[in-house]
Amino acid sequence: MKTFEGDVKMALTVNGVAIQDKQLDEAFALRVDEYRKMCEHAGQAADDAQLKQWIEEDAIEGVLFYQAAQEKLPAPTEAQIRKYVAEHPAEFYAVAETDVLEEGKRQLMLHVFRRSLRKQVKRPSAADVEAFYAANPHRFDQPEYWAVSHICKHVPPTESTASIFLLLCRIRQDILDKKVDWQTALNASDSYPVDQGLFGVITRGQYPAFEQKIFALKEMEISEVVDSGENTLHLFMVMRHETARTLTLDEVRSDIEKQLFDDAFAAVLDQTYETLVAQATLVRA
């Protein structure tokens, strides 16, 4: 997308519509934490100036797309606006009650405008999908992995590690003796019910301190008690184990189709933005 020189916090007008400092600052505050975490996960340095530039471009795009929608689309009825607001409450939780209908109209028209652009995008052909698969041979390599469930017990200050260890030993034996099943024991004993017993899908190297004890298990086999550190003990069970392999074209065909279509749609949005911004009058305060 087109970029602009200068301090991205400076207010500007787009075809006479003001974009205020406050609007940009509020959008930055909402997105900065997620952006920094995303950069950290990707092993990249966060660039707040880049994020501010993207936020400004998003604001400009919103104005231009709304103006284009007003020119090309019929105005929605109040009933249609209220229906959209009711179906998308998260978009309006911070909007003042007096502004909901106007903001609802804007959001609905933007939604319909973008949907009209989406309809212009051609679905990828079978040949397109096959060419993408052939051109990206390593993209569909799946590493060996284990899907792991666990019963996790935190050692509270009032108890000893030994007492929690013995408790998990008894739970394990009860499961082996079929006095209780895994899920029932998990529901009754797990210290972290929020994860519903899912330790995660793991690959080699993620948990070097204790992963070999997991990798040694067969599917549906229960581990001995494992101390993962930080006053936490576990019973592990491997729900599924998959060896490393390359996913077949049939397995990933729908994912490739979606990616190619989404990429083509993103290109249409970018081209529409470039066309509109080239014709627009942008004035910085």
Side-chain angles (χ1 to χ4, degrees), residues 165-219:
F165 181 91
L166 290 173
L167 172 61
L168 284 173
C169 285
R170 288 194 294 271
I171 292 171
R172 180 179 185 274
Q173 193 60 51
D174 285 345
I175 296 171
L176 295 177
D177 292 341
K178 301 187 184 303
K179 293 180 180 179
V180 65
D181 61 47
W182 175 265
Q183 189 62 48
T184 301
L186 190 158
N187 293 341
S189 306
D190 194 75
S191 294
Y192 300 98
V194 66
D195 69 8
Q196 299 181 326
L198 180 63
F199 184 72
V201 174
I202 67 172
T203 57
R204 294 187 184 276
Q206 283 185 268
Y207 301 97
F210 58 88
E211 64 183 24
Q212 291 303 322
K213 295 178 180 179
I214 297 175
F215 299 159
L217 299 172
K218 299 175 182 177
E219 288 188 358

Side-chain angles (χ1 to χ4, degrees), residues 16-30:
V17 176
I19 296 175
Q20 301 295 336
D21 289 345
K22 181 181 178 182
Q23 176 185 345
L24 302 178
D25 290 343
E26 288 175 349
F28 178 81
L30 285 173

Side-chain angles (χ1 to χ4, degrees), residues 75-177:
T77 65
E78 182 175 330
Q80 290 172 324
I81 296 171
R82 291 191 181 279
K83 183 175 183 291
Y84 182 85
V85 171
E87 291 174 349
H88 302 82
E91 295 181 19
F92 302 95
Y93 77 95
V95 179
E97 183 64 30
T98 54
D99 298 330
V100 165
L101 280 180
E102 184 58 36
E103 179 61 15
K105 176 184 177 181
R106 190 181 77 87
Q107 293 282 8
L108 176 55
M109 294 193 74
L110 283 172
H111 173 75
V112 175
F113 179 71
R114 291 190 175 103
R115 189 171 62 187
S116 70
L117 295 177
R118 185 180 177 86
K119 290 179 179 178
Q120 299 175 20
V121 181
K122 295 175 64 174
R123 292 285 174 182
S125 67
D128 293 332
V129 173
E130 291 165 6
F132 184 88
Y133 182 82
N136 297 274
H138 301 299
R139 185 169 186 152
F140 306 104
D141 289 346
Q142 177 180 276
E144 183 178 24
Y145 73 84
W146 291 258
V148 182
S149 178
H150 69 149
I151 296 175
C152 175
K153 293 295 289 184
H154 179 70
V155 181
T158 56
E159 297 190 50
S160 66
T161 300
S163 66
I164 299 301
F165 181 91
L166 290 173
L167 172 61
L168 284 173
C169 285
R170 288 194 294 271
I171 292 171
R172 180 179 185 274
Q173 193 60 51
D174 285 345
I175 296 171
L176 295 177
D177 292 341

